[in-house]
Amino acid sequence: MEEKLEIVVAADLDNGIGKDNGLPWRIPGDMKFFQSLTSNATEGGINAIIVGRKTWESIPEKRRPLKNRINIILTKNTAITAPEGVLVCNSLESALEALQGIEHQRCFIIGGAQIYKEALQHPLMTTIHLTRIMQEFDCDAHFPPIDDRFALAAVSDTMEENEIEYRFQRYEKKSAL
Ligand SMILES: NC(=O)c1ccc[n+]([C@@H]2O[C@H](COP(=O)([O-])OP(=O)(O)OC[C@H]3O[C@@H](n4cnc5c(N)ncnc54)[C@H](OP(=O)(O)O)[C@@H]3O)[C@@H](O)[C@H]2O)c1
């Protein structure tokens, strides 16, 4: 089956996604959504996640690698040390080549801003799982605007946690519908 790339991102009303290499909000319901979406595979299979080096470093050491998923870090510095079993690749293409040789189901791009920007232009990118956070935060990292190659395919009810309203949206590339 041909590889599909799916983006998972949480963005505020101004497409802000991060500040000082961290998340500007704490929304446990969104963390749960992320864990479940990226971990759930059928019949004992496994999914892959591709993550930029800066976002990788922002994940607390005790929570990385992300369990039950193939973890791939993108960096130009492939001499970095990574935990056993974690792949380090120097381009998105080389990550996708490496994945061709590894049994897996879905492939999620989990950020940050640099990786999202490149992945959004990739021909295999089909789906954006966007948690829309219904406020504006002080951010120094942003998600690119979602252009009209994509159509809104699903939207959840609005939820609220820590006085922050948010909803889950799924965009699909029109050419893949
Ligand atoms: N809200 C969300 O859903 C969400 C999700 C993820 C991250 N974030 C936030 O996003 C921010 C981080 O984003 P960022 O743009 O600063 O960093 P990033 O995308 O996580 O990582 C950038 C690094 O990735 C490597 N890289 C980028 N493109 C590459 C390519 N084509 N090939 C190989 N390596 C490549 C480079 O590493 P080297 O410098 O080592 O070469 C680059 O410095 C943080 O604030 C984080 O909290 C938010």
Side-chain angles (χ1 to χ4, degrees):
M1 196 171 69
E2 196 181 46
E3 188 78 71
K4 275 177 27 172
L5 297 179
E6 303 180 55
I7 281 177
V8 195
V9 61
D12 76 4
L13 288 175
D14 189 35
N15 279 350
I17 63 165
K19 169 85 172 164
D20 298 332
N21 210 29
L23 293 178
W25 45 75
R26 210 184 74 77
I27 307 179
D30 184 49
M31 299 303 286
K32 275 197 204 115
F33 174 79
F34 173 86
Q35 295 295 344
S36 151
L37 174 70
T38 57
S39 304
N40 284 351
T42 53
E43 290 163 24
I46 189 164
N47 298 325
I49 59 102
I50 298 179
V51 60
R53 190 262 306 166
K54 290 185 183 168
T55 295
W56 168 264
E57 287 177 353
S58 79
I59 302 170
E61 244 172 282
K62 62 176 194 299
R63 288 189 34 228
R64 62 188 209 220
L66 302 187
K67 62 177 192 266
N68 303 326
R69 285 150 285 186
I70 299 162
N71 286 224
I72 304 180
I73 307 171
L74 290 192
T75 173
K76 296 292 177 195
N77 172 18
T78 47
I80 67 163
T81 49
E84 206 185 324
V86 172
L87 299 180
V88 178
C89 293
N90 68 0
S91 68
L92 182 54
E93 283 315 316
S94 69
L96 295 176
E97 266 166 42
L99 270 178
Q100 279 180 12
I102 305 171
E103 186 91 12
H104 68 284
Q105 293 182 0
R106 300 166 76 177
C107 177
F108 295 99
I109 306 288
I110 66 159
Q114 283 188 33
I115 308 297
Y116 287 141
K117 188 170 176 220
E118 181 176 350
L120 262 179
Q121 298 308 323
H122 197 283
L124 297 180
M125 165 59 52
T126 61
T127 309
I128 304 167
H129 303 273
L130 170 73
T131 304
R132 180 62 82 190
I133 296 168
M134 310 300 291
Q135 287 183 28
E136 280 184 32
F137 286 79
D138 180 21
C139 290
D140 59 16
H142 291 80
F143 193 75
I146 297 177
D147 59 55
D148 61 10
R149 292 173 300 148
F150 294 90
L152 184 62
V155 57
S156 74
D157 291 339
T158 301
M159 281 150 290
E160 187 179 326
E161 255 179 301
N162 295 334
E163 298 184 350
I164 303 169
E165 286 193 335
Y166 64 100
R167 57 175 78 122
F168 300 116
Q169 301 179 331
R170 181 167 54 82
Y171 287 85
E172 296 287 353
K173 201 182 246 176
K174 290 174 185 166
S175 58
L177 284 173

